Amino acid sequence: MRHHCRHLNLLNRRGYATKYTGKVVTTNNKGRFSAIEVSVAAPTLISDVRGYPLPRRDLICKATKILQSKSSSPDPFLDLSEYLQTLSVTPTTSEVSEILKSLKSPTLALEFFHFCPSRIPNFRHDAFTYNRIMLILSNSYLSNKIDKMKEIINIMEKYGTIGNISTVNILIGAFDGVDGVEICLDLVKKWGLELTCYTYKCLLQAYLRAYDLNRALQVYRIMRRKGYKLDSFGYNMLLHGLAKDEKIDQAYQVFEDMKRKHCEPDEYTYTILIRMIGRLGKPNEALALFQEMLSKGCKPNSMSYNTMIEALARSWMADKAMILFSKMVENNCRPNEFTYSLILNVLAAEGQLRRMDEVVEISNKYMNKSIYAYLVRTLSKLGHASEAHRLFCNMWRFHDKGDRDAYLSMLESLCSAGKYAEALDMLSRTHEKGIITDTFMYNTVFSALGKSKQISHVLDLYEKMKQDGPTPDIFTYNILISSFGRAGRVEEAVRIFEELENSDYKPDVVSYNSLINCLGKNGDVDEAHIRFKEMQEKGMNPDVVTYSTLIECFGKTDKVEMAYSLFNEMLAEGCSPNIVTFNILLDCLEKCGRAAEAVDLYSKLKEQGLTPDSITYAILERLQSGSKRTHRIRRQNPITGWVVSPLR
């Protein structure tokens, strides 16, 4: 009998899913042998020590696999339904929750959520499964996730299911704006729930996300009265909101509360306060906070250093900024582009750009081509071409291979500063550092030389380009045509245009505009008009620049009828004139004394919805005064009805 009892105990400890019950029916030989009648008990789930059923892992894995299977089955939910029918015990809410958690797709999880009460007999969702699907939706990237969560709330109310405080916490974190928070608070009242410390923290953060600082402060005051405290993330979020709104006293009060509640400020806390104080122009107070941060054992990151350097730079404290920059590098905190921009700006403002060599030396272990390139670009943008060039030469000397971006920035800077000899020298030496000279680089130099009418350099560089490469593109040709036209070199402009026609590229609207402008403004209006017609014959639509250029050319040669005819053609073709076009034609009419037509043209200008500029008013004033008047008086303009002061 003892052997029999020990065997039954062993079976109980092993916890088989199927349990057996039996009763002794006969006994002989003094109880040594017994006959037992055995019956199978109704299946029950294994429970934990608290009495809650443990989820069946085989069920969870099987159901998840069926739903996520990429097999050819047209309806995985039908397969799941067939599988569930084989089970002696239907899935519990905890098992459904685990399956929901295992599904990778929030859409699939939502579909399974709706499947359970409709296809599993006697199944009803509880707060636990509702919370699970809410959490899945809140963490998803579905565009309509808020609407779906509201639908879940409606289902809960339909079936009389009361959520718990976790439900509310999830909703507060997901819903946007003050209106969303109000929905959550209404549910708290309806379900008769008590707010926890975590709920208050969620509310505080929700109001801060909604930029409602006043309500956030009200929640914070309630938390203080109840003895609750935030974590460092919550405190930092509140401090950031207060600092952004420049509520200095309240920010310091929250900071002191944070320390009293034994929640140690971290580097982000101090960074928020330093930024706030620095923007108020109090660098010494900011430095005191920075020193306090160090004394507390916080290790400043690049954001902390940048914020402190920015506070010093705002107050033009170049020396202290340089000392802190040195400490930053000394503490193995890598400066980034923002760090260098702060240092550059304060040195430039204080006239100490000569200290750039010191900056490079301090951060020598972090200096690379990318940093050099950024410094060169920044100095160029600030208009310090000489310093940029000197720094670029250092990079050129110390690195075996050049950086194209830095090279291009330097090239543009030299061209902008009128240092054409240096730009041409750089262009000829790119191969020394493994940089392949491209067409864009040549176009940059061509454009600068053309604008300054350095035609001899343009010709030399163009010949070099044709001999050594790279191949000119459509932009090259257009720049050259415009450059020669600006210098009055019509023959060269026409020759370049013809080269363009014979190249792999074909003239575009810009090419024709440049040539028409060149011909017309250098006296050959008829040829300009011929090119205009040629352009149309080739199927190109002249733009507002084309028409305006040709109208101006006709006007300057007293061919006003042609100019006006071209203007009307422009309107008929659907090309909208701009204020420049109107000014050109108004000027032509004013010079020919055709005031009535000028009045009519001005009315068209207003119809087009254009705003007259200073040139328009100057022309109107001349029309009002008359060319033969020796003294111009201030009176009402007959065209506009306004009083226009005469030009001196």
Side-chain angles (χ1 to χ4, degrees):
M1 188 67 183
R2 283 197 303 272
H3 174 74
H4 171 69
C5 292
R6 188 165 60 251
H7 182 63
L8 288 178
N9 287 336
L10 181 61
L11 288 177
N12 286 334
R13 279 201 303 273
R14 290 179 65 182
Y16 290 123
T18 305
K19 291 186 179 180
Y20 301 89
T21 58
K23 62 180 179 179
V24 177
V25 291
T26 59
T27 303
N28 57 22
N29 198 8
K30 297 182 181 180
R32 287 186 179 182
F33 304 102
S34 301
I36 301 174
E37 185 179 283
V38 178
S39 62
V40 180
T44 58
L45 297 176
I46 301 172
S47 301
D48 61 14
V49 292
R50 297 172 298 173
Y52 292 109
L54 292 172
R56 290 167 286 180
R57 294 298 163 191
D58 55 337
L59 163 63
I60 295 165
C61 293
K62 181 67 175 178
T64 304
K65 186 177 180 181
I66 291 171
L67 290 175
Q68 294 188 152
S69 174
K70 296 181 180 179
S71 64
S72 57
S73 176
D75 188 357
F77 284 95
L78 181 60
D79 296 342
L80 179 62
S81 183
E82 291 175 355
Y83 165 67
L84 294 178
Q85 288 174 9
T86 65
L87 301 177
S88 55
V89 179
T90 58
T92 64
T93 53
S94 63
E95 289 167 340
V96 167
S97 176
E98 288 296 319
I99 295 169
L100 285 169
K101 183 180 177 182
S102 301
L103 296 175
K104 297 176 182 177
S105 166
T107 306
L108 183 61
L110 189 61
E111 197 173 350
F112 173 66
F113 177 84
H114 291 303
F115 162 89
C116 292
S118 62
R119 303 283 287 274
I120 300 176
N122 302 319
F123 182 87
R124 284 189 64 182
H125 287 296
D126 60 10
F128 193 57
T129 51
Y130 280 116
N131 288 353
R132 177 67 71 189
I133 192 62
M134 295 269 203
L135 188 61
I136 290 169
L137 289 171
S138 69
N139 291 330
S140 74
Y141 293 100
L142 296 176
S143 58
N144 60 343
K145 67 179 183 180
I146 301 300
D147 293 334
K148 294 296 182 185
M149 293 177 78
K150 289 179 179 178
E151 287 176 12
I152 299 296
I153 295 171
N154 292 335
I155 293 171
M156 291 177 72
E157 293 185 343
K158 178 181 176 182
Y159 290 105
T161 305
I162 296 175
N164 53 33
I165 199 63
S166 296
T167 318
V168 175
N169 294 343
I170 293 166
L171 293 173
I172 292 172
F175 285 0
D176 293 323
V178 175
D179 292 340
V181 176
E182 293 303 317
I183 292 172
C184 300
L185 293 176
D186 287 342
L187 290 174
V188 170
K189 293 178 183 177
K190 188 181 294 185
W191 293 339
L193 303 174
E194 291 290 332
L195 300 185
T196 64
C197 176
Y198 183 75
T199 312
Y200 281 114
K201 189 178 81 167
C202 292
L203 281 172
L204 177 76
Q205 293 178 1
Y207 283 129
L208 289 171
R209 286 197 305 272
Y211 303 105
D212 194 333
L213 189 57
N214 291 329
R215 280 193 172 96
L217 283 171
Q218 288 173 10
V219 172
Y220 178 68
R221 293 187 186 107
I222 294 171
M223 292 183 74
R224 286 185 64 196
R225 286 199 301 270
K226 289 181 174 290
Y228 296 148
K229 73 171 185 177
L230 291 165
D231 56 14
S232 58
F233 180 82
Y235 275 116
N236 288 347
M237 199 170 176
L238 179 57
L239 283 170
H240 176 73
L242 292 168
K244 194 174 180 180
D245 214 36
E246 295 187 357
K247 295 186 180 297
I248 314 303
D249 294 338
Q250 287 160 305
Y252 268 118
Q253 182 183 357
V254 170
F255 180 57
E256 292 302 320
D257 285 348
M258 183 180 184
K259 291 188 283 188
R260 277 197 296 270
K261 295 287 185 181
H262 306 292
C263 182
E264 285 298 321
D266 56 19
E267 62 270 22
Y268 297 103
T269 316
Y270 284 104
T271 301
I272 291 165
L273 294 173
I274 290 167
R275 183 183 292 112
M276 176 184 73
I277 297 301
R279 287 178 177 174
L280 293 174
K282 299 178 179 180
N284 291 326
E285 287 185 33
L287 271 174
L289 281 168
F290 190 81
Q291 291 300 328
E292 182 181 325
M293 174 177 66
L294 296 177
S295 66
K296 294 286 185 181
C298 296
K299 188 176 180 181
N301 53 25
S302 59
M303 184 189 298
S304 308
Y305 276 112
N306 286 348
T307 304
M308 190 63 246
I309 292 171
E310 185 180 21
L312 296 171
R314 280 176 178 270
S315 300
W316 317 118
M317 301 174 74
D319 290 338
K320 288 187 177 181
M322 286 292 288
I323 291 170
L324 191 60
F325 176 72
S326 179
K327 288 287 184 185
M328 180 180 185
V329 176
E330 190 179 303
N331 291 328
N332 298 316
C333 185
R334 179 187 288 273
N336 54 27
E337 290 186 354
F338 184 60
T339 319
Y340 287 108
S341 70
L342 292 170
I343 295 295
L344 278 177
N345 280 306
V346 72
L347 292 179
E350 293 293 286
Q352 297 184 31
L353 277 177
R354 65 184 182 281
R355 299 181 69 179
M356 274 308 303
D357 291 338
E358 186 182 341
V359 172
V360 172
E361 185 179 347
I362 287 171
S363 57
N364 186 52
K365 65 180 178 180
Y366 296 122
M367 290 301 294
N368 53 36
K369 287 188 297 182
S370 176
I371 296 297
Y372 268 116
Y374 175 76
L375 293 174
V376 169
R377 287 198 306 272
T378 307
L379 284 167
S380 299
K381 287 177 184 176
L382 291 171
H384 301 286
S386 298
E387 286 296 329
H389 192 211
R390 191 168 60 82
L391 196 63
F392 178 82
C393 291
N394 284 342
M395 181 182 72
W396 191 271
R397 189 167 60 251
F398 292 135
H399 291 277
D400 294 332
K401 192 168 182 180
D403 181 273
R404 184 188 179 277
D405 290 339
Y407 180 88
L408 190 57
S409 296
M410 193 65 254
L411 202 60
E412 291 171 344
S413 178
L414 291 173
C415 288
S416 299
K419 297 178 180 291
Y420 306 117
E422 290 89 338
L424 289 167
D425 178 61
M426 278 187 62
L427 199 60
S428 66
R429 294 176 55 198
T430 54
H431 62 280
E432 295 177 12
K433 294 294 181 179
I435 300 173
I436 299 172
T437 311
D438 57 34
T439 309
F440 186 82
M441 295 175 184
Y442 270 88
N443 290 347
T444 301
V445 180
F446 276 133
S447 182
L449 293 173
K451 287 175 183 176
S452 61
K453 299 182 181 180
Q454 301 281 325
I455 300 302
S456 60
H457 288 309
V458 171
L459 288 168
D460 292 342
L461 189 60
Y462 182 53
E463 289 302 318
K464 182 180 183 299
M465 186 181 192
K466 287 195 291 185
Q467 288 177 12
D468 304 331
T471 306
D473 61 11
I474 185 68
F475 300 104
T476 314
Y477 289 113
N478 290 344
I479 291 167
L480 292 173
I481 294 166
S482 177
S483 299
F484 288 128
R486 189 181 287 110
R489 306 283 283 267
V490 181
E491 290 182 6
E492 281 93 340
V494 173
R495 177 173 60 82
I496 296 296
F497 188 86
E498 290 171 351
E499 286 187 25
L500 170 58
E501 289 181 305
N502 296 323
S503 72
D504 294 334
Y505 303 95
K506 296 302 172 187
D508 59 8
V509 174
V510 177
S511 313
Y512 272 102
N513 286 352
S514 299
L515 184 62
I516 289 168
N517 186 60
C518 170
L519 292 166
K521 291 187 176 177
N522 286 287
D524 201 346
V525 182
D526 293 335
E527 180 64 22
H529 196 212
I530 290 170
R531 294 289 185 171
F532 175 78
K533 292 295 183 183
E534 177 187 301
M535 178 183 182
Q536 290 177 311
E537 288 168 3
K538 288 184 176 181
M540 294 183 198
N541 294 321
D543 61 12
V544 66
V545 177
T546 322
Y547 281 109
S548 300
T549 301
L550 205 51
I551 289 169
E552 184 178 12
C553 293
F554 283 132
K556 286 187 175 180
T557 54
D558 296 327
K559 296 182 179 180
V560 183
E561 296 299 335
M562 288 291 292
Y564 215 99
S565 173
L566 200 60
F567 180 79
N568 289 328
E569 179 188 326
M570 179 184 187
L571 294 174
E573 292 293 330
C575 181
S576 301
N578 57 25
I579 191 63
V580 175
T581 318
F582 277 102
N583 286 345
I584 289 169
L585 195 53
L586 277 170
D587 186 57
C588 293
L589 294 170
E590 186 272 330
K591 285 179 180 177
C592 296
R594 298 165 70 160
E597 289 171 272
V599 172
D600 182 56
L601 183 64
Y602 181 78
S603 64
K604 286 183 181 178
L605 182 153
K606 302 294 286 184
E607 288 170 8
Q608 292 281 328
L610 296 172
T611 304
D613 61 13
S614 59
I615 297 173
T616 317
Y617 294 135
I619 297 167
L620 294 175
E621 201 281 329
R622 290 203 305 270
L623 279 168
Q624 170 192 315
S625 302
S627 58
K628 294 183 180 180
R629 291 179 184 270
T630 55
H631 299 285
R632 296 182 178 180
I633 59 173
R634 179 182 173 87
R635 66 177 185 178
Q636 192 178 47
N637 192 300
I639 299 174
T640 63
W642 298 333
V643 174
V644 182
S645 299
L647 296 178
R648 300 294 181 190

